Amino acid sequence: MFRTALRNVLAHKARLLMTVLAVMLGVAFVSGTLVFTNSLSTALQNSSAKGFDQVDVAVRPEGREDTGDTIGKTPELTQALLDRSARVPGAASAFGVVRGFTALADKDGKLIGGGFQSEGGNYWGTKDPRYPLVSGHAPSGKGEVLIDSETAKRAGYKVGDRVRMSVDGPVLTPTVAGIFTTDDGNVAAGGSLTLFDTATAQQLFGKPGTYDEIDVTAAAGTSQTALKAALDRALPRDTVETTTGQQLADDQAEIIASSMSGMKQGLLVFAGIALFVGTFIIANTFTMLVAQRTKELALLRAVGASRRQVTRSVLVEAFVVGAVAGVAGLVAGIGIGAGLKALMGTLGATVPDGPLVVSPGTVATALVVGVVVTMLAAWLPGRRAAKIPPVAAMSSVHAKATTKSLVLRNTIGALFSAAGVAVVLAATTMQGSDGQAPMGFGAVLLIIGVFVLTPLLSRPLIAAAAPVLRAFGVSGRLARQNSVRNPRRTAATASALMIGLTLITGMTVMAGSLQTSIDKMASAAIRADYVVSMANGNELSPDVERTLKKTDGVTLTSPLRNAPSRIDGQTEYLTGVNGAAIGELTDLTVEEGSFTVGGDRVVVDDETAKAHDWSAGSHFTVHYEDGKAQQLTVAGVYQGNDMIHGIMLDTARLAPHQRDAADMQVMVKTADGASGAVKDRLEKALGANPAIKVQDKKDISNEIAKMFTLMLNMLYGLLAMAVIVAVLGVINTLAMSVFERSQEIGMLRAIGLERTGIKRMVRLESLVISLFGGVLGIGLGVFFGWAAGELLGTRMPTYELVLPWGRMAVFLLLAGVVGVLAALWPARRAARLNMLQAIKSE
């Protein structure tokens, strides 16, 4: 039986290749994902570890928790602490570290590094071991700066050039004193790092005479642990904490691994989808292979083979196919991993250099997935074939499914579908994240149910295409009959395409609806013409609002200033605004009371009011960050959203209690409204600062939408893998169908049907099956998109379902194109059959 199974595998090389390809693509995606994420994670960890080579022990401020009704203040690392650290026994040297956001512009004035990746720091002395100089010299004063070599290369800067930058203040134009190399992770990810001398960095980052961290190096013969113990004895434990360099590296590696796990899981989900689709194709292939060898298997049973041996022979074939596909998929996956790493570079996401990491786990996973998936898919066809009595198999009375089996299948499919719809609908009535898991479970049930019901659905839906197919004469009628001749095979082929289009359509519906909702939110919540903020999301200096207020054409301004406080023993963030102007700059729905901000009168969003059981007229006591208490009155409750929410009070009341006042945003109303000229005027008034963004409502909406668009494009690319697997399935099904119908095709040729008619018949059959899968996929995708939107609408009041009719038409057209392309080889093969040999074939 083993030799028979191997002979059967090698006897049909074309079918073997198609099956191997279907499995290989899924395995390649899994192994490629593991290779890519492991390689990227290892490269980032190695790069990060190098960054701690010069640190044996780091001294940091002890974090203070909120206690009672006061807000804790982080202790400062002073020069005295630095000097004391340097004198600790076992310490060779100590240097202070200063960090802060520094916006560096390229030669076109555009921000380098996307805001949050643009950082600044200090260069210690005349030769800082952390940052080896490639050229130039150490910086001195505000007029000189160092930039990292990667940024210099990308922006085209060299020593002696003047650069534009900002550090939470006016624009600076220092000279590049030198260029250095670094293993900083932000730089590796495409950001920038600029360094000033220590005194200048402290002044620019608002930390005169203090440091963010003190790094201590150990003397020869002193371990990191011994140095840490000595520092713990010498330094005040209530204000500072110490960590070894090794621990810092380990913590950073854990953070990188954790951040990479999200990417890995996301990619593996789509690899799983590709494998899920491939499973249908493999099951379909083995079902046809077994059906074509029914008489052969019957003869084996007649000469003494048991049912178990027949099943085993099919599973041996599956094992061989799965092993070959697993090895091929692993090799292809290594190529995919290398390709993804190179692709990140072309997209501008710089990653540290490092080798491709092919771990033993990746190899084992590829082989196990390839073999297990294939054997699971082949088990049912093999078991079904083994149960057929030899006499029945030889006389082909087994060929058609019994009415009982069809009724059972349809009943199971209807129950799964009904349960799936019920669970999804129930999930839409839940709140936010509570409904995510039930909705996912319901979606899986519904997809399984529709898959089981697909043979039943195929007849009416394909029959609907009959009028169109009649226009193609005999070829069209034959194509329709062939499509419904074997509903199970048609269903398995169409389902592969259905799953891919379900996901693509569902995400497209979600993305389009979210874009519309974001536009509505921006236009509904904000009356201001412009919103000014920092590029990295950090706080703005209050000078920004004062400058804007003096600019020609500006009629109203208001900051949005966050400040911590204690209310009812809990930390709550207050939002300081210009009470006289905020009503004109926003357009928020007031649920009760009035939108009046001034003196001790505040407005509160509905969620906060509900949490504290407040209503219009309620009084509460707030404890500011300086520890002082005050009673405030709720003038009104408004409907908050993702852009504007919280407790709003007048900045005149808030400012006296703040240590370091800073604004998150500034809203601006102008006499001329939003226009390119007005925006240029505001940017010029702020000194064309690369750190500051001036955005109108459309800019805000587009910025948020960019994230969804980028995510959607990535998902389209990932789902293309599932569609490719589905195309292989259609090709495989048609090719095997042509083989099955060789005698029939020979007879058609003998009675006068030309080769072009045969080709047209096969192509139309493929087109009908693909469009059937496309219609089911788009229908399910719209349903899931609607359901997910209903769940999202509980958190986004402006959510509105938008059906992208144009894109859905394109998806259906693509399904048709898939069908036409998939039929090219099978149609050509059918047309080239020798009619006499075909008629004689069995």
Side-chain angles (χ1 to χ4, degrees):
M1 293 300 293
F2 182 73
R3 289 197 298 272
T4 301
L6 291 180
R7 180 184 61 79
N8 286 328
V9 170
L10 299 174
H12 306 286
K13 296 181 178 60
R15 290 199 299 249
L16 172 66
L17 178 62
M18 295 299 295
T19 311
V20 166
L21 275 174
V23 186
M24 186 197 78
L25 278 172
V27 174
F29 206 170
V30 172
S31 54
T33 295
L34 295 174
V35 168
F36 168 66
T37 52
N38 288 342
S39 300
L40 187 58
S41 180
T42 301
L44 288 171
Q45 287 174 11
N46 291 341
S47 174
S48 173
K50 289 178 185 176
F52 296 109
D53 285 348
Q54 305 297 326
V55 182
D56 287 314
V57 179
V59 180
R60 294 172 171 175
E62 175 72 31
R64 291 286 182 87
E65 296 182 358
D66 297 347
T67 56
D69 291 325
T70 62
I71 309 300
K73 183 182 177 183
T74 303
E76 295 178 337
L77 301 180
T78 61
Q79 184 65 38
L81 275 174
L82 174 64
D83 295 339
R84 193 189 303 181
S85 300
R87 292 194 299 267
V88 166
S93 62
F95 53 87
V97 178
V98 185
R99 302 188 187 94
F101 170 63
T102 302
L104 177 65
D106 60 21
K107 291 187 175 181
D108 295 325
K110 303 297 182 183
L111 179 67
I112 297 173
F116 69 93
Q117 294 171 332
S118 301
E119 292 191 350
N122 66 311
Y123 189 84
W124 190 256
T126 57
K127 189 174 181 180
D128 193 328
R130 299 171 298 169
Y131 308 112
L133 288 174
V134 176
S135 59
H137 58 82
S140 176
K142 282 188 178 180
E144 291 187 341
V145 69
L146 303 182
I147 61 175
D148 68 88
S149 56
E150 289 296 323
T151 299
K153 189 188 303 180
R154 287 195 295 267
Y157 286 132
K158 59 184 184 298
V159 174
D161 287 347
R162 294 185 76 84
V163 295
R164 287 178 61 80
M165 62 171 57
S166 173
V167 183
D168 192 22
V171 174
L172 306 174
T173 55
T175 300
V176 177
I179 294 172
F180 62 93
T181 59
T182 178
D183 294 307
D184 187 277
N186 281 326
V187 173
S192 64
L193 179 61
T194 53
L195 302 176
F196 305 90
D197 69 77
T198 300
T200 301
Q202 288 174 324
Q203 181 185 354
L204 290 174
F205 299 138
K207 303 162 185 172
T210 64
Y211 304 96
D212 293 298
E213 181 176 304
I214 297 172
D215 290 342
V216 186
T217 55
T222 303
S223 67
Q224 291 186 355
T225 307
L227 179 59
K228 179 182 183 302
L231 286 165
D232 287 341
R233 289 191 297 269
L235 302 180
R237 295 299 306 277
D238 59 333
T239 58
V240 299
E241 58 184 7
T242 59
T243 312
T244 64
Q246 184 59 53
Q247 185 61 51
L248 290 173
D250 292 343
D251 291 345
Q252 188 68 20
E254 188 175 333
I255 291 170
I256 291 170
S258 176
S259 64
M260 291 298 298
S261 69
M263 179 189 292
K264 183 184 292 187
Q265 288 171 6
L267 290 171
L268 285 174
V269 164
F270 290 96
I273 292 168
L275 279 172
F276 188 51
V277 173
T279 302
F280 291 141
I281 297 166
I282 300 160
N284 203 18
T285 301
F286 275 94
T287 298
M288 289 186 283
L289 286 172
V290 169
Q292 289 168 10
R293 303 206 319 268
T294 302
K295 290 187 178 181
E296 176 188 325
L297 294 175
L299 284 172
L300 289 174
R301 290 287 312 282
V303 297
S306 65
R307 288 184 178 183
R308 187 172 296 177
Q309 285 178 310
V310 170
T311 305
R312 282 179 183 171
S313 71
V314 176
L315 291 178
V316 167
E317 289 183 51
F319 176 82
V320 173
V321 170
V324 172
V327 173
L330 176 61
V331 174
I334 295 171
I336 288 174
L340 285 172
K341 197 173 177 185
L343 180 63
M344 286 191 71
T346 60
L347 293 175
T350 309
V351 295
D353 291 331
L356 284 177
V357 178
V358 184
S359 66
T362 301
V363 176
T365 300
L367 295 176
V368 168
V369 166
V371 171
V372 170
V373 167
T374 310
M375 292 184 71
L376 284 175
W379 175 76
L380 188 60
R383 184 170 174 271
R384 191 184 298 139
K387 290 173 69 175
I388 301 170
V391 176
M394 289 180 186
S395 60
S396 297
V397 298
H398 67 288
K400 290 187 178 180
T402 63
T403 303
K404 181 181 177 182
S405 69
L406 289 175
V407 169
L408 179 63
R409 177 178 181 133
N410 294 338
T411 302
I412 292 172
L415 290 174
F416 267 86
S417 299
V421 170
V423 173
V424 169
L425 291 177
T428 61
T429 64
M430 299 178 183
Q431 292 291 318
S433 58
D434 294 340
Q436 290 178 2
M439 185 168 289
F441 178 64
V444 171
L445 287 178
L446 181 54
I447 288 175
I448 293 172
V450 171
F451 169 68
V452 175
L453 280 177
T454 307
L456 178 66
L457 298 173
S458 64
R459 289 186 178 276
L461 288 177
I462 291 176
V468 178
L469 292 174
R470 282 197 203 102
F472 295 93
V474 174
S475 298
R477 288 195 295 273
L478 289 170
R480 186 184 69 81
Q481 292 169 5
N482 291 333
S483 300
V484 296
R485 177 185 295 180
N486 191 332
R488 286 183 173 176
R489 187 168 64 205
T490 298
T493 306
S495 295
L497 197 57
M498 177 192 78
I499 292 169
L501 284 177
T502 295
L503 295 166
I504 290 174
T505 304
M507 288 186 299
T508 303
V509 170
M510 283 283 294
S513 301
L514 280 171
Q515 176 65 67
T516 303
S517 305
I518 292 164
D519 288 342
K520 284 178 65 178
M521 185 188 297
S523 59
I526 301 174
R527 284 184 187 167
D529 295 318
Y530 291 98
V531 175
V532 180
S533 61
M534 288 287 280
N536 67 333
N538 280 0
E539 298 171 328
L540 286 165
S541 166
D543 292 335
V544 171
E545 192 208 358
R546 288 193 281 269
T547 301
L548 290 168
K549 195 178 290 187
K550 298 174 186 175
T551 304
D552 290 342
V554 173
T555 56
L556 290 173
T557 64
S558 174
L560 292 179
R561 178 178 301 176
N562 281 2
S565 71
R566 300 286 294 186
I567 299 172
D568 296 336
Q570 300 176 5
T571 298
E572 289 281 1
Y573 276 85
L574 307 173
T575 302
V577 298
N578 180 347
I582 192 65
E584 296 294 322
L585 294 169
T586 58
D587 189 13
L588 299 165
T589 302
V590 179
E591 294 188 346
E592 58 176 300
S594 62
F595 200 84
T596 305
V597 180
D600 64 351
R601 295 172 68 79
V602 302
V603 292
V604 183
D605 72 284
D606 49 351
E607 292 293 330
T608 304
K610 184 179 178 181
H612 290 278
D613 197 22
W614 292 338
S615 59
S618 296
H619 303 284
F620 64 91
T621 301
V622 61
H623 295 264
Y624 296 106
E625 59 182 306
D626 63 355
K628 294 182 179 178
Q630 192 172 57
Q631 190 176 68
L632 300 176
T633 303
V634 178
V637 178
Y638 66 92
Q639 193 176 86
N641 56 51
D642 289 339
M643 299 181 69
I644 300 176
H645 54 86
I647 303 169
M648 291 189 197
L649 75 163
D650 200 297
T651 50
R653 181 57 58 101
L654 177 64
H657 303 286
Q658 288 186 285
R659 297 189 183 96
D660 300 303
D663 303 329
M664 293 304 296
Q665 296 176 341
V666 177
M667 292 184 170
V668 181
K669 189 85 171 172
T670 62
D672 300 327
S675 68
V678 174
K679 185 175 181 178
D680 289 341
R681 188 160 68 238
L682 295 178
E683 288 178 341
K684 195 173 292 184
L686 295 171
N689 195 321
I692 298 176
K693 295 186 296 186
V694 179
Q695 297 176 298
D696 60 20
K697 286 182 277 192
K698 191 64 180 174
D699 293 332
I700 294 170
S701 177
N702 289 342
E703 184 177 56
I704 299 171
K706 269 183 186 177
M707 295 184 290
F708 295 110
T709 304
L710 178 63
M711 190 183 304
L712 192 65
N713 289 337
M714 287 178 63
L715 295 178
Y716 280 161
L718 293 170
L719 285 172
M721 182 70 72
V723 174
I724 290 171
V725 175
V727 172
L728 286 173
V730 177
I731 296 172
N732 207 10
T733 300
L734 288 172
M736 300 186 80
S737 178
V738 167
F739 178 83
E740 277 185 351
R741 303 202 308 263
S742 296
Q743 191 175 59
E744 175 189 320
I745 291 170
M747 289 294 294
L748 290 171
R749 291 277 289 114
I751 62 175
L753 189 61
E754 297 179 352
R755 287 185 175 182
T756 54
I758 296 293
K759 284 183 180 179
R760 190 181 300 119
M761 177 187 73
V762 176
R763 287 171 185 160
L764 288 173
E765 181 183 347
S766 175
L767 181 64
V768 167
I769 292 173
S770 297
L771 289 176
F772 169 54
V775 168
L776 284 181
I778 292 171
L780 281 174
V782 169
F783 176 70
F784 290 140
W786 166 81
E790 288 293 300
L791 192 60
L792 189 62
T794 60
R795 291 190 169 185
M796 186 180 286
T798 57
Y799 185 84
E800 176 186 342
L801 179 68
V802 177
L803 295 180
W805 295 106
R807 288 203 176 190
M808 289 194 293
V810 170
F811 295 156
L812 194 59
L813 179 64
L814 286 175
V817 171
V818 163
V820 172
L821 293 177
L824 291 178
W825 177 62
R828 185 166 177 268
R829 182 183 177 191
R832 294 180 64 183
L833 283 174
N834 183 295
M835 69 176 74
L836 294 178
Q837 290 180 353
I839 290 170
K840 290 191 297 180
S841 67
E842 294 186 2

